[in-house]
Amino acid sequence: MRFQSTTLEQRKHHVRDIISSFDRTTLPLEFRGDIFARIDEEQAGRASSEWTRQGDLTGTAMQWGSHDPASWETLNRWQPASPRARLFAEKLRRLFEDQFQKYEDLGSIPGQRTAAGTRASLGQICDRFHKLAEATIIDLKFRTEGHAHTADVLLDVLARVCRNHDEVAEVRRSPRTPTAGASEAAETSLYHALIHEPAPGAPDFMLEALETINELSPRTLAARSMRQRLQTIDALLRVRGSPFSYQTRFSSIVNN
């Protein structure tokens, strides 16, 4: 991708993707929003000395890479497109894994050892799951390669959420209600909170991201290994008695 053939808006997204790939925990969408917002045509017309931010290497690299052809080419040599796609998927997997771990820890942290505390913490975890899925949709629309890496992560996460319905640990029940039945335990499962009975106004978890992959890279989910995993998830959703609208939308992804 050449400097002259791109717009400033394209370059700022591209440069942020490159530099954020060196950060193990921050997705491109969430990386240095303060600097990203400053990069515009007005800044491009300033003296180049103003693009340098003392004490801020990443901010300086983002600004110079967006405005200066030589800096643009240097950054692109640092981290080519294919490794970046793989690194994004690895980062996405780590971030989802962090949320799964937080879920596993529910009830073992002071302040979360009540039913109300557990529900509040579960709500925060689910909100993060949705935000990670939303960030993935934006990334898929930006990135032109590596969709299979991302799809691999998304299918693993969705399958794990579906199986979570059967894996609710005793630690996530309130110790104040030791005789709580299976229905209360189910209310604390990720499957229940993300798919079966999500918060009002919440989107269908993960479906838009998978639909985006089908739209932008139709062959990705058509691969035999991917289709087998999709069919496994479809079966899990049916066994769980998932909402009809969710099942219908997911089936259209499987049969696309």
Side-chain angles (χ1 to χ4, degrees):
M1 186 181 295
R2 298 193 175 191
F3 184 91
Q4 292 81 1
S5 64
T6 58
T7 65
L8 176 58
E9 191 66 20
Q10 290 172 324
R11 290 196 299 274
K12 63 189 282 190
H13 282 275
H14 191 83
V15 166
R16 179 169 66 172
D17 184 58
I18 292 172
I19 299 173
S20 67
S21 69
F22 292 93
D23 186 305
R24 285 180 53 83
T25 60
T26 308
L27 294 173
L29 180 66
E30 301 169 333
F31 187 81
R32 294 307 304 269
D34 57 330
I35 298 299
F36 188 80
R38 292 172 181 266
I39 300 173
D40 55 22
E41 295 293 348
E42 189 277 330
Q43 186 189 63
R46 297 181 188 177
S48 59
S49 59
E50 295 189 35
W51 304 336
T52 299
R53 297 174 60 85
Q54 300 302 325
D56 185 355
L57 177 61
T58 57
T60 296
M62 284 177 69
Q63 293 181 165
W64 273 85
S66 298
H67 300 307
D68 176 62
S71 299
W72 164 265
E73 296 209 3
T74 297
L75 289 175
N76 276 275
R77 287 198 300 270
W78 283 4
Q79 201 70 281
S82 182
R84 281 205 317 276
R86 177 179 51 79
L87 288 168
F88 172 81
E90 291 173 357
K91 184 185 300 185
L92 186 64
R93 189 182 296 279
R94 280 195 299 273
L95 293 174
F96 272 119
E97 182 58 41
D98 287 345
Q99 297 309 306
F100 278 118
Q101 187 59 57
K102 287 183 179 180
Y103 172 75
E104 291 298 322
D105 292 340
L106 281 182
S108 63
I109 301 173
Q112 295 179 346
R113 293 174 181 165
T114 65
T118 297
R119 284 193 296 270
S121 297
L122 178 61
Q124 293 173 358
I125 292 169
C126 289
D127 184 60
R128 184 58 177 161
F129 266 88
H130 282 299
K131 286 182 177 178
L132 289 174
E134 290 167 9
T136 303
I137 294 166
I138 292 172
D139 186 83
L140 286 166
K141 293 178 179 178
F142 159 79
R143 201 178 301 282
T144 58
E145 58 183 270
H147 291 166
H149 295 302
T150 300
D152 184 63
V153 176
L154 300 186
L155 292 182
D156 278 353
V157 169
L158 186 53
R160 188 170 173 183
V161 167
C162 289
R163 293 189 178 99
N164 171 261
H165 181 66
D166 295 331
E167 298 172 356
V168 180
E170 289 290 335
V171 72
R172 287 187 291 281
R173 298 182 183 179
S174 169
R176 295 184 182 180
T177 54
T179 60
S183 61
E184 180 172 347
E187 290 180 359
T188 66
S189 77
L190 284 174
Y191 164 79
H192 188 278
L194 286 170
I195 296 176
H196 196 83
E197 194 173 343
D204 287 336
F205 178 63
M206 201 63 85
L207 298 191
E208 186 178 352
L210 293 174
E211 289 168 345
T212 301
I213 291 175
N214 260 344
E215 177 185 347
L216 299 176
S217 182
R219 293 184 180 180
T220 297
L221 295 182
R224 178 178 297 181
S225 61
M226 293 288 187
R227 294 199 66 77
Q228 290 174 340
R229 293 160 72 185
L230 285 166
Q231 290 164 357
T232 297
I233 294 170
D234 191 45
L236 284 170
L237 291 170
R238 294 177 187 279
V239 169
R240 302 289 181 264
S242 303
F244 179 75
S245 60
Y246 192 100
Q247 286 189 43
T248 300
R249 193 173 170 188
F250 186 81
S251 293
S252 70
I253 295 171
V254 177
N255 299 320
N256 185 276

